[in-house]
Amino acid sequence: MNVLIIGSCVSRDIFNLPAAQDFQIPLYVARSSLASIFAPIPFRDTYSEHVESPFQKRLIEWDITKKSLGRIKSAVADVVIVDSIDERFNLATLPNGGRFTASPILMATKPKLPSTAKTVMSGTPLFMEWWTEGWIRLLEVLDEKKLKDKIIINKVFCQHQTTTGVKFEINMVNKLNETLSKIYEIQERSLKPSQFIEYENRLSCPDIHRWGPSPFHFDETSQIFALNKIKELVNNGS
């Protein structure tokens, strides 16, 4: 079973579980907002070469040069997992209409970004307008590949504390959850209820996680629930 992931480690880590050995990941697109993937190229990529991590280098290159779109169009997949945690990143736009995802890794690279780049904050009306355009474009691409009915939305929300009660920054959590709510409301107009993983109160964040404690780094119990739900949805045809 080939799985195309458009999202974050929230979804990718699910397939590191031993019980996920029957799934293959031919393409994983991360740290790139849907508002960026389908936008014009903002400028020539002189930034990814300054990043040491091959994975992070690829993500920055793909976001700036819009290579993700071509990869999505050509990917061989049986199911598409989408999560929107990386929509927490702001966007930046250039006078030429180009956009890019202002992820921390990109923003920390040298040389500095063009002075003409303007920031659009995550969750704002303009951000949501551009995100919605990207979501519609993604649906069109996946529909052409006969995959629209194979989309599964990993409907996660940030948690306010770890399992032992260590609290995360409340304003950040509430802001991202508000953005996620807007996104899910739009996605629910496009897809069937059966295409959403609904966790209810099953999500929890451990104090120790391979990527560090975070309001969206969930424990293995949460991941096992998600994997079982994915298997159920796949077997039922979504």
Side-chain angles (χ1 to χ4, degrees):
M1 180 68 67
N2 289 315
V3 180
L4 163 58
I5 298 176
I6 303 173
S8 71
C9 62
V10 168
S11 297
R12 179 63 184 89
D13 286 354
I14 293 170
F15 298 96
N16 291 330
L17 295 169
Q21 60 184 357
D22 292 335
F23 291 91
Q24 302 295 323
I25 314 295
L27 181 64
Y28 171 36
V29 178
R31 300 183 195 175
S32 191
S33 171
L34 290 186
S36 172
I37 290 175
F38 295 93
I41 296 173
F43 40 62
R44 186 172 65 89
D45 174 28
T46 59
Y47 298 88
S48 61
E49 63 189 59
H50 298 279
V51 179
E52 292 185 5
S53 163
F55 174 67
Q56 294 177 345
K57 182 189 295 288
R58 173 174 66 81
L59 297 181
I60 290 176
E61 178 194 1
W62 285 17
D63 186 72
I64 292 176
T65 63
K66 312 308 172 191
K67 287 185 178 179
S68 296
L69 178 55
R71 299 299 195 279
I72 293 171
K73 287 182 175 180
S74 62
V76 176
D78 302 296
V79 65
V80 182
I81 309 294
V82 178
D83 78 72
S84 298
I85 286 294
D86 283 353
E87 299 296 346
R88 70 189 186 276
F89 300 133
N90 298 329
L91 295 170
T93 183
L94 275 293
N96 63 3
R99 297 177 215 141
F100 60 95
T101 306
S103 64
I105 298 297
L106 174 57
M107 299 304 286
T109 60
K110 304 295 181 183
K112 292 183 179 180
L113 295 173
S115 60
T116 53
K118 304 296 183 183
T119 300
V120 176
M121 304 297 287
S122 173
T124 59
L126 182 56
F127 179 99
M128 292 306 304
E129 177 184 332
W130 288 345
W131 180 89
T132 302
E133 292 173 358
W135 170 246
I136 292 171
R137 290 281 305 279
L138 177 63
L139 290 178
E140 291 172 349
V141 169
L142 295 178
D143 197 27
E144 289 178 1
K145 294 171 65 66
K146 310 300 182 185
L147 287 173
K148 181 180 177 181
D149 290 337
K150 302 300 181 181
I151 298 172
I152 296 176
I153 302 297
N154 192 4
K155 191 179 174 181
V156 295
F157 284 99
C158 294
Q159 303 301 291
H160 285 88
Q161 61 186 31
T162 67
T163 50
T164 63
V166 178
K167 298 186 182 302
F168 298 115
E169 206 285 303
I170 188 169
N171 290 332
M172 183 270 284
V173 170
N174 289 343
K175 180 177 181 295
L176 179 50
N177 281 344
E178 182 179 351
T179 300
L180 289 170
S181 293
K182 294 176 185 177
I183 287 172
Y184 298 145
E185 182 179 350
I186 294 168
Q187 291 174 328
E188 285 165 357
R189 299 173 195 161
S190 310
L191 304 175
K192 297 173 292 187
S194 61
Q195 291 179 260
F196 291 78
I197 301 176
E198 299 280 358
Y199 289 88
E200 298 178 355
N201 62 347
R202 295 182 178 88
L203 288 171
S204 57
C205 300
D207 291 86
I208 300 176
H209 188 279
R210 65 182 297 186
W211 310 122
S214 163
F216 48 80
H217 288 165
F218 304 115
D219 63 9
E220 187 171 303
T221 299
S222 305
Q223 294 170 356
I224 291 173
F225 173 82
L227 179 61
N228 289 336
K229 192 66 176 178
I230 291 168
K231 289 181 176 180
E232 176 187 331
L233 294 175
V234 168
N235 290 335
N236 292 336
S238 291

